[in-house]
Amino acid sequence: MTEPPHLASAGEKQNRTGTGRPHLAVVGAGPAGLAGALAAAARGIRVTLVDAAGQAGGQFYRQPAPALGARRPQALHHQWRTWVRLRDGLDRHRTSGRITHRTDHHVWCVERDCASGRFRVHALLGPAQEEGGTVDADAVLLATGGYERVLPFPGWTLPGVVTAGGAQAMLKGGLVLPGRTAVVAGTGPLLLPVATGLAAAGARVAALVESAGPAALLRRAPALAAQPGKLAEGAGYAARLLRHGVPALVRHTVVAAHGTDRLEAVTVAALDRTGQIRPGGTRRVPCDTLAVGHGMLPHTDLAETLGCTLSGPAVRVDGEQRTDVPGVWAAGEATGVGGAALALAEGHIAGRSVAARLHGTVPDPGRWAAAARTRDRLRKFAAALDAVYAPPAGWAAGVTDDTVVCRCEEVTAGEVRVAAGPLGAGDLRTVKLLTRAGMGWCQGRMCAPAVAGLTGCPLTPGRRPFARPVPLGVLAALPDADGTGPDRNGPD
């Protein structure tokens, strides 16, 4: 069992005075966070594992709610034995008191006290997210994962259109199908397990639509061949799709979704070798669900707030998974999207490094040499996949001017194009000011990649002070800069 959300305990207050074992706060309980927490706890570090979900596992190891009574949850997963090892390790360390697992904690900010070098993790508690809580620690491991890149097309806002990861989450976490007849489309290795999972659960997958072509895979063959296990995994998914009779349309893309009250069909177009739509190569596929994905982007909001340097879209780390902010480590998709196995290796390295440094010793990289070799190989493999599974070059040309791009503020592609054309906006911030694209609830997290693609502006990170919307009451309850004011931690 995991602990219910609650405010910081008296034991945490004692640790803030400098007594007790060194304390690590791990943000995120997916593969990277679990591996880091277990490695640090095994070496004498007191760990608080903070996660927004009700159970550990992240998206990759998402589990059905216990109330659903799933008889064979392993049927929805591969690498189940790895998950069992992580789960059992977490249970052992929780029982021994080495790890405290705080569920339903939605972290919105991490503060660093420059004088002491310690950290305060701010979170909203529970499903309502109307109450605040904190965790204080000597170091922080950011294992915040990634989120899906969403690219618009005509009809993409219809009910029945979901992201590929969203369809997978419904199946893994809720044991429900998003529809009876599905099309899985976009690009990237995530499409294979999503299509396979839907078909195995009883949906008719009318088509798997992949914009990449075989030639792109062949060009990266040496790098891909260096991970035969990954290739065998992909081949296994392909074999299962064949058994389910799922047609695969490679070098194709969805250009429109159709329906009145909900999705009824999609139009699929063939692509030429440059990624442009081939004239006359369209077909209409009836379906009630479209699961569409174009890859993942790292979650870096908390790292940016702390002042961590980014390398491209990801948090920059050294060989120990340290950021350039003292006391802050990062692992998993936040440092570059590469899958669960890479996240596990990075998390293990980070946890061991944290343990050594909080104990005041110089880390010995030889003690995690095997994990480092795995990390390096998988990073090369991920880079090759990124090159293969890029969104089609001509996707923006197919977005009509009346297509909504920013759903929060109902900004259309035409408005975005006017801002970048006649109005002369040269960056995403100016487009945002002119159109309100990115000013809504998600603060541009969903629409920024689309706006960048439509305007040609670079996809630069936005230095947001908070990682999620925060009720004013929670902000008002924060202590003043001199330490006076409301105490969120309650009495000792």
Side-chain angles (χ1 to χ4, degrees), residues 100 197 361 400:
T100 300
T361 63
T400 58

Side-chain angles (χ1 to χ4, degrees), residues 4 40 50 66 92 105 170 182 217 279 301 319 328 344 357 413 415 432 452 470 480:
V50 185
R92 285 195 303 272
H105 273 53
M170 292 173 68
L217 288 168
D301 287 354
V328 180
L344 288 169
R357 293 196 175 274
E415 294 173 280
K432 178 178 180 178
V470 183
D480 299 329

